Amino acid sequence: MVWSALQRYSTMLIQFVSGIILARLLTPYDYGCIGMLMIFMLLAESFIDGGFGSALIQKKNPTQTDYSTIFFWNMGLSGVLYAVLFLSAPAISRFYGIPLLSDILRVQGLVLFIYGFNIVQRNQLQKQLNFKLLSIVTILTSLTALTVTIIMAYKGFGVWALVAQNMLTAAIPAIVFWFYVKWRPQWVFSWQSFRELFSFGFYMFLTHLLNQFGQQIQGLLIGRFYNASTMGYYSKANSTERLASTSISKVMTQVTYPLYAEIQDDKVALGNMIKKITMTVSYVTFPLMFILLLCAKPLFILLYSDRWVDSVPYFQVLCFAGLAYSLQSVNYQSVAAIGKSKTMFVWTFVKRAVGIAFVVAGLLLDGMRGLLIGMVLNAWFSYFVNIWLVSKHIGYSWQRQLLDIMPVFITSLSAAALTYFLGRLCSLSLYADGAMKFVVFMVLYVGWSVLFRPDAYQYFCVAVKPFFKKIKGKMNKGKKNKQKE
């Protein structure tokens, strides 16, 4: 968990710095061009994984034949999908009315081969819980890609700087893992192994495909009905919100999915693990989202400059969706770990159909604001479906889960309301107002935690205690070494 956290937050810091620098070197139009193509790239990547990555982790003892079969399947499928993207690129550029998108998609589509080449090695490291290597490589990759991207943006490459960043982010880990992981594919392809993994992985693939389409449909609609700059404002708001809302949950679920799979037969232990993770994630993420909601305007201007101020109202609405996003994967991964892939697919279809209806109806009724409100409704509907599935198949009831997170939600909302009204009473400058709101909110929230010591606070303390204990131990060891010298 410590290594996973180090990876996530180091990467988040690098992305944070990257966003600040690149927002001053690139335009909303540049970000919008990349954002318009994301739905096609993510759907293609979903086909390559095909759910087989999850199937290999869920299977307790995969064989060399299993790994080799999936490797060659991925490489063959990568070639087919790239050919489809290459041939359809001109039509996609005409759909958006931006000729440059054709060349961008044809170049960026090359990452499909990299993903197909890399999935098995990355999967083996996750199954072995070797998050130390995964973390180190991810951090170094982010730094390298950021450096190259900044240089290219400074030299005037525009949107191609972002294309290079995506290519390097995929290529560097693939090269490192290929040389570090001793596994090599054998010249074997087993249809029996394929069918066995396919029985679980097929539904995981369909589920992942539906999720990606549902998450990216708003980008497709914005790109079609608005201009590239509007898409850029939305992309910046959405990426900033996701960086905050999913940072904690991604750290935990990256580690806990293999652990969920190991204890999948013990529903009591699994339910207890979900409870602790849910309460820990909510304790950190809920106040973070409310703080960002309160301080959105000074934050965006400070970090990204006045050029991005139009992203602020988009970001503030998306913060309400972020509250649900932060908890979705905790429940989603647990249902996958117990092998309920077909059930997940059926309910994902329901979630995404309803979600798309929310987004399209919102767009038709109230334009961009309606579309964003539709995203919020979609996020919460998906969360309620996920906790109902956990309640049904694992036994951690949805009523109990809502009651467990309710103290944190009510406290965060109350602290945000008091802070907001206090800000209305004061006449402060933009940055002073943001700083005041941050301090007031934190005093209220931390004060509640220390005074009443709710369960979520105690779970959080237990989770971070080993990390600080390890740091303290290293500091004491360093002091003893100095004394000996």
Side-chain angles (χ1 to χ4, degrees):
M1 189 73 76
V2 170
W3 278 108
S4 186
L6 178 63
Q7 170 194 332
R8 181 60 190 168
Y9 292 115
S10 297
T11 304
M12 186 171 70
L13 178 62
I14 295 168
Q15 291 175 347
F16 184 66
V17 174
S18 171
I20 294 173
I21 298 174
L22 293 177
R24 286 167 166 75
L25 297 174
L26 301 174
T27 66
Y29 178 88
D30 295 327
Y31 279 94
C33 287
I34 293 294
M36 289 175 177
L37 300 178
M38 285 306 296
I39 186 170
F40 303 102
M41 291 301 304
L42 291 174
L43 290 178
E45 291 167 18
S46 297
F47 274 95
I48 293 174
D49 183 8
F52 289 117
S54 298
L56 287 169
I57 292 178
Q58 200 271 342
K59 186 175 181 178
K60 290 190 175 181
N61 296 298
T63 64
Q64 170 73 337
T65 300
D66 292 331
Y67 284 123
S68 298
T69 298
I70 299 309
F71 177 83
F72 288 117
W73 170 261
N74 285 338
M75 293 306 298
L77 190 58
S78 299
V80 173
L81 291 173
Y82 180 72
V84 172
L85 286 180
F86 188 92
L87 294 174
S88 60
I92 293 172
S93 67
R94 287 195 297 271
F95 174 78
Y96 287 119
I98 302 177
L100 179 63
L101 294 182
S102 178
D103 292 335
I104 294 174
L105 184 59
R106 285 174 170 176
V107 174
Q108 186 155 307
L110 293 171
V111 302
L112 298 178
F113 292 102
I114 301 173
Y115 288 133
F117 185 78
N118 184 39
I119 281 177
V120 171
Q121 289 86 346
R122 182 181 291 274
N123 172 272
Q124 289 185 338
L125 291 171
Q126 286 182 315
K127 195 168 182 67
Q128 297 163 9
L129 300 181
N130 190 350
F131 292 100
K132 179 177 181 179
L133 178 64
L134 287 167
S135 302
I136 293 172
V137 172
T138 301
I139 294 169
L140 293 178
T141 297
S142 298
L143 287 171
T144 304
L146 171 60
T147 303
V148 173
T149 305
I150 290 174
I151 293 173
M152 290 184 66
Y154 182 76
K155 294 291 185 179
F157 282 88
V159 68
W160 290 105
L162 297 175
V163 174
Q165 185 178 38
N166 293 334
M167 296 289 289
L168 288 171
T169 301
I172 296 173
I175 295 171
V176 173
F177 295 152
W178 180 261
F179 285 103
Y180 181 86
V181 178
K182 301 305 180 184
W183 177 86
R184 293 293 182 271
Q186 295 179 349
W187 291 101
V188 59
F189 186 94
S190 169
W191 284 108
Q192 179 181 353
S193 175
F194 181 83
R195 285 192 295 269
E196 181 183 346
L197 293 167
F198 188 76
S199 63
F200 175 85
F202 175 67
Y203 289 109
M204 289 298 295
F205 153 66
L206 291 178
T207 301
H208 187 60
L209 190 67
L210 286 172
N211 279 331
Q212 291 291 7
F213 182 76
Q215 291 170 7
Q216 299 300 322
I217 185 64
Q218 55 272 3
L220 183 69
L221 294 172
I222 295 170
R224 182 68 181 86
F225 293 103
Y226 296 89
N227 56 37
S229 294
T230 301
M231 182 67 196
Y233 292 129
Y234 163 78
S235 296
K236 179 62 70 177
N238 188 54
S239 62
T240 304
E241 179 274 313
R242 286 302 183 97
L243 194 65
S245 65
T246 62
S247 58
I248 303 291
S249 59
K250 282 186 176 180
V251 168
M252 292 195 166
T253 54
Q254 184 179 14
V255 177
T256 53
Y257 180 60
L259 298 178
Y260 282 159
E262 289 296 321
I263 63 170
Q264 58 184 281
D265 298 324
D266 188 344
K267 299 297 176 60
V268 175
L270 189 55
N272 288 333
M273 184 180 290
I274 297 169
K275 176 180 178 178
K276 292 179 180 179
I277 294 171
T278 297
M279 295 180 72
T280 303
V281 170
S282 64
Y283 178 78
V284 177
T285 307
F286 281 17
L288 175 61
M289 299 313 300
F290 279 109
I291 288 175
L292 292 175
L293 176 66
L294 292 168
C295 305
K297 186 173 182 179
L299 181 69
F300 266 71
I301 294 176
L302 176 65
L303 298 180
Y304 306 132
S305 78
D306 293 341
R307 178 188 295 176
W308 295 91
V309 72
D310 287 346
S311 294
V312 171
Y314 301 166
F315 176 75
Q316 289 177 316
V317 176
L318 290 175
C319 282
F320 290 102
L323 298 170
Y325 288 144
S326 67
L327 299 177
Q328 281 184 15
S329 59
V330 176
N331 295 277
Y332 176 87
Q333 295 280 21
S334 63
V335 178
I338 62 174
K340 298 291 183 180
S341 58
K342 185 176 181 179
T343 300
M344 289 180 62
F345 163 68
V346 171
W347 281 101
T348 298
F349 181 83
V350 174
K351 287 189 297 184
R352 294 312 172 192
V354 173
I356 291 172
F358 280 142
V359 170
V360 173
L363 177 65
L364 295 176
L365 293 173
D366 198 18
M368 272 297 296
R369 185 174 65 175
L371 181 146
L372 295 171
I373 293 173
M375 290 181 63
V376 175
L377 296 175
N378 177 22
W380 281 101
F381 178 76
S382 296
Y383 169 69
F384 285 125
V385 170
N386 287 351
I387 64 174
W388 177 79
L389 289 173
V390 168
S391 177
K392 181 179 179 181
H393 296 289
I394 296 175
Y396 179 28
S397 71
W398 64 269
Q399 299 97 326
R400 183 70 260 171
Q401 187 165 163
L402 290 176
L403 288 173
D404 286 338
I405 67 171
M406 196 56 65
V408 172
F409 177 78
I410 293 175
T411 303
S412 299
L413 179 62
S414 301
L418 289 171
T419 303
Y420 172 77
F421 286 117
L422 181 61
R424 293 292 298 269
L425 295 175
C426 302
S427 298
L428 301 174
S429 64
L430 182 67
Y431 295 125
D433 180 69
M436 181 274 292
K437 288 177 178 177
F438 175 80
V439 172
V440 171
F441 184 94
M442 289 305 297
V443 168
L444 292 172
Y445 189 75
V446 174
W448 166 77
S449 300
V450 174
L451 285 175
F452 297 100
R453 299 186 63 83
D455 289 342
Y457 169 70
Q458 295 184 51
Y459 286 138
F460 170 75
C461 291
V462 170
V464 300
K465 186 177 180 180
F467 180 71
F468 289 107
K469 190 174 181 180
K470 190 172 183 179
I471 294 177
K472 185 178 179 180
K474 288 185 177 182
M475 292 176 63
N476 292 335
K477 186 177 180 180
K479 289 179 180 178
K480 289 180 180 179
N481 290 336
K482 287 183 179 180
Q483 290 174 356
K484 288 181 180 179
E485 292 174 0

